[in-house]
């Protein structure tokens, strides 16, 4: 005799026989349970026809082969115990009657139980673990941890969420940028996986107001190293997804996540040329908007880097090109294909506090507010560089989701604050 547990998915009542589909704990698989007169006490048979979906059961019995059952087997019950009753659910977890996203969010605590939705988060857990594994392999230490409550902008002033910090103004961190740089002399290679907050009123498939970044910084690192490390995260995550969660991928309609064997590189100027040859109206100096980005990604079937962006489009901390200071040494890493998008930004950093101060002023920032950051470069600071990769963007790309909100259990956008 075996014991299984699971939630009622659906009950088919044909009198002396009840077929109960359950979603098993902990596998989250749909399995068939047969409750038959004579096999179970009479009151169990009677009750079994009345279970609401999501009633949590503990069932004793045994598996037998059955060609008609979902996984080629069914569980013949000898006894059934209700562990927790359920009221009728406000959304249909079987998705026979699908709900719109706002309704799904309203009942997110139930929505997350759907095997297809739970699959996203089992996969995301593999992706986050793959990033940690790769960074450790490359000799990085995980910074434990950087502040979330901060006094100044790190990525420019307009997108900060202010908060009241006793009698002072403070903000939620836009990134760990300044702090991760400051740990480079201490740890050499450092990373953190931490939340970032951006008060952008962007309502797009790739923007959240709260998202997580894999923030990476290293001393004496080359641009090629930075690219290789990012590619390694992407590739390792793809391989591990295929190996560790194949059933979850199937639920998401993915036979196999494409595992790239190389990455490509294109300069900003080349990307502009390519877009223009496609008939896109874009000037040298412009940043890529969503349609341009998609168009660019559709030219690639492996992940790729766009290198050297116009300085005016970049944060103050990127190094400028020595040969041509119109450009900053920033590089973006993008996922390929029709559904492609920017996954990360990064590059070598500026170490000269005077140059940093001028760049800040030019970008409308107040260098006085960055005292400690500017001072630290006066004390034997090594050349360094890094990148920040969005965890939800990476999840969106690898799992081919249609919007980033699907990659967060409880997404935050300009419109969504609850649950
Ligand atoms: P950036 O601002 O480009 O760079 O952010 C880095 C990466 O974070 C993700 N990201 C977002 N994900 C979801 N919603 C958003 N609103 C959002 N904004 C950004 C993207 C993006 O590529 N400090 C630098 C990185 C560095 O140079 O180290 C930074 O924050 O995947």
């Amino acid at each position: 005799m075996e014991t299984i547990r699971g939630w009622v998915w659906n009950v088919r009542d044909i009198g002396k026989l009840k077929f109960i589909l359950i979603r098993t704990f902990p596998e989250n698989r749909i399995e068939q349970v047969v409750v038959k007169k004579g096999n179970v006490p009479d009151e169990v048979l009677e009750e079994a026809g009345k279970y609401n979906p999501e009633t949590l059961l503990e069932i004793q019995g045994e598996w037998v082969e059955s060609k008609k059952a979902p996984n080629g087997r069914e569980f013949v019950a000898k006894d059934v115990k209700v562990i927790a009753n359920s009221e009728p659910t406000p959304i249909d977890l079987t998705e026979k009657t699908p709900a719109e996203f706002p309704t799904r969010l309203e009942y997110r605590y139930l929505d997350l139980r759907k095997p297809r939705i739970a699959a996203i988060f089992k996969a995301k857990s593999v992706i986050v673990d793959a990033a940690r594994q790769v960074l450790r392999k490359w000799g990085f230490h995980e910074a434990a941890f950087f502040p979330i409550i901060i006094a100044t902008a790190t990525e420019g002033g307009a997108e900060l969420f202010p908060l009241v910090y006793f009698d002072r103004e403070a903000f939620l961190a836009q990134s760990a940028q300044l702090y991760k740089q400051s740990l480079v002399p201490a740890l050499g290679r450092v990373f953190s996986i931490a939340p970032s907050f951006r008060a952008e009123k962007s309502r797009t498939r790739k923007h959240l107001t709260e998202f997580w970044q894999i923030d990476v910084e290293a001393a004496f690192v080359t641009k090629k190293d930075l690219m290789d490390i990012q590619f390694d995260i992407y590739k390792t995550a793809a391989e591990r997804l295929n190996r560790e969660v194949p059933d979850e991928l199937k639920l998401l309609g993915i036979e196999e996540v494409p595992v790239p064997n190389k990455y490509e590189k294109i300069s900003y100027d080349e990307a502009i040329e390519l877009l223009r040859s496609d008939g896109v109206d874009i000037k040298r100096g412009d940043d890529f908007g969503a349609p341009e980005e998609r168009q660019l990604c559709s030219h690639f079937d492996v992940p790729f880097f766009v290198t050297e962006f116009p300085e005016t489009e970049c944060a103050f901390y990127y190094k400028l090109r020595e040969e041509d200071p119109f450009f900053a040494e920033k590089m973006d890493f993008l996922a390929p294909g029709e559904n492609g998008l920017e996954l990360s930004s990064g590059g070598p950093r500026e170490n000269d506090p005077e140059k940093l101060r001028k760049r800040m002023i030019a970008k409308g920032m107040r260098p006085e507010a960055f005292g400690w950051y500017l001072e630290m470069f006066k004390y034997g600071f090594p050349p360094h560089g890094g990148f920040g990769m969005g965890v939800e963007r990476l999840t969106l790309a690898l799992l081919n989701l249609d919007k980033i909100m699907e990659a967060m259990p409880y997404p935050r956008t300009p419109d969504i604050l609850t649950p």
Side-chain angles (χ1 to χ4, degrees):
M1 199 97 103
E2 253 188 85
T3 302
I4 63 169
R5 297 192 182 113
W7 292 265
V8 173
W9 188 248
N10 168 278
V11 181
R12 202 146 52 88
D13 184 349
I14 33 186
K16 290 177 186 161
L17 193 59
K18 327 271 182 210
F19 290 105
I20 305 175
L21 290 181
I22 62 163
R23 189 178 76 253
T24 59
F25 171 87
E27 305 85 359
N28 231 358
R29 285 242 297 261
I30 308 301
E31 299 276 9
Q32 180 162 287
V33 176
V34 185
V35 183
K36 199 172 165 187
K37 189 174 168 69
N39 281 355
V40 294
D42 282 350
E43 59 284 7
V44 167
L45 183 76
E46 190 171 322
E47 282 301 303
K50 299 182 202 150
Y51 298 143
N52 279 328
E54 289 312 291
T55 303
L56 176 58
L57 303 177
E58 185 172 275
I59 307 152
Q60 289 195 311
E62 51 202 31
W63 291 107
V64 298
E65 272 185 38
S66 160
K67 293 221 166 58
K68 285 187 191 150
N71 304 305
R73 61 176 191 174
E74 62 191 13
F75 196 75
V76 178
K78 293 273 150 55
D79 198 10
V80 184
K81 215 165 65 198
V82 174
I83 308 257
N85 274 310
S86 176
E87 295 188 8
T89 56
I91 54 169
D92 173 16
L93 271 66
T94 69
E95 293 188 300
K96 281 198 186 101
T97 328
E100 295 294 323
F101 198 67
T103 313
R104 282 179 46 206
L105 268 189
E106 191 181 345
Y107 302 106
R108 188 64 161 165
Y109 56 89
L110 287 173
D111 187 57
L112 288 164
R113 298 182 184 191
K114 293 174 186 164
R116 191 175 61 84
I117 307 301
I120 296 172
F121 297 100
K122 284 191 186 161
K124 191 178 176 189
S125 152
V126 172
I127 293 169
V128 172
D129 196 53
R132 280 212 167 85
Q133 174 202 353
V134 168
L135 289 167
R136 290 203 165 277
K137 186 184 82 187
W138 282 85
F140 286 84
H141 304 275
E142 182 160 358
F145 297 99
F146 295 124
I148 302 299
I149 302 174
I150 56 166
T152 49
T154 57
E155 309 293 331
E159 308 160 352
L160 281 164
F161 280 115
L163 58 96
V164 178
Y165 192 71
F166 305 105
D167 54 355
R168 279 181 286 175
E169 188 176 46
F171 305 97
L172 292 174
Q174 290 170 309
S175 73
Q177 184 63 38
L178 313 185
Y179 296 97
K180 67 174 176 174
Q181 287 183 258
S182 81
L183 245 74
V184 161
L187 301 181
R189 296 192 151 201
V190 60
F191 77 97
S192 78
I193 301 182
S196 295
F197 303 88
R198 306 273 170 101
E200 290 171 280
K201 288 221 171 102
S202 308
R203 294 172 171 88
T204 74
R205 75 172 183 123
K206 61 170 198 173
H207 285 95
L208 293 166
T209 51
E210 176 179 321
F211 62 97
W212 286 62
Q213 260 192 82
I214 304 161
D215 246 315
V216 177
E217 204 68 25
F220 301 106
V221 74
T222 63
K223 286 193 271 182
K224 181 170 181 310
D225 287 340
L226 290 176
M227 292 191 210
D228 288 350
I229 296 165
Q230 295 184 67
F231 176 69
D232 200 356
I233 293 176
Y234 185 101
K235 183 177 176 182
T236 304
E239 282 169 346
R240 283 190 52 183
L241 286 170
N242 290 333
R243 206 168 51 238
E244 294 173 32
V245 286
D247 293 344
E248 283 74 11
L249 294 179
K250 283 201 188 76
L251 287 172
L252 295 166
I254 299 170
E255 210 43 57
E256 259 199 4
V257 179
V259 179
N261 55 6
K262 59 164 188 185
Y263 61 84
E264 310 250 27
K265 247 175 12 181
I266 182 173
S267 72
Y268 169 85
D269 273 344
E270 287 165 341
I272 294 286
E273 276 304 304
L274 188 60
L275 286 171
R276 281 200 183 146
S277 67
D278 287 344
V280 177
D281 181 21
I282 186 166
K283 290 196 305 293
R284 188 171 188 255
D286 289 350
D287 202 356
F288 307 118
E292 292 86 27
E293 186 180 277
R294 249 187 214 240
Q295 180 66 22
L296 193 58
C297 292
S298 69
H299 282 278
F300 292 85
D301 49 20
V302 293
F304 64 103
F305 289 89
V306 180
T307 59
E308 300 109 29
F309 280 81
E311 188 281 328
T312 49
E313 301 301 315
C314 299
F316 67 90
Y317 45 75
Y318 293 106
K319 216 176 175 53
L320 299 188
R321 290 217 82 184
E322 270 167 28
E323 317 83 79
D324 182 2
F326 174 76
F327 287 114
E329 294 271 27
K330 176 187 177 234
M331 48 199 193
D332 280 2
F333 185 44
L334 291 95
E338 303 293 328
N339 206 17
L341 81 175
E342 177 199 314
L343 300 175
S344 79
S345 299
R349 316 299 186 186
E350 179 55 67
N351 271 33
D352 178 336
E354 234 356 88
K355 288 185 183 164
L356 284 166
R357 198 184 303 276
K358 287 195 180 124
R359 298 265 297 282
M360 284 178 171
I361 293 168
K363 290 180 186 299
M365 301 167 80
R366 293 186 314 113
E368 315 81 80
F370 294 82
W372 69 268
Y373 176 76
L374 293 168
E375 289 295 309
M376 77 179 177
F377 293 109
K378 296 182 180 166
Y379 304 99
F381 210 94
H384 64 293
F387 61 87
M389 190 179 286
V391 178
E392 289 71 33
R393 295 264 183 103
L394 184 60
T395 306
L396 171 76
L398 288 168
L399 303 182
N400 201 21
L401 304 175
D402 59 286
K403 50 182 174 301
I404 199 163
M405 285 185 277
E406 298 277 7
M408 263 301 205
Y410 291 94
R412 291 287 172 262
T413 71
D415 307 306
I416 305 168
L417 191 55
T418 51

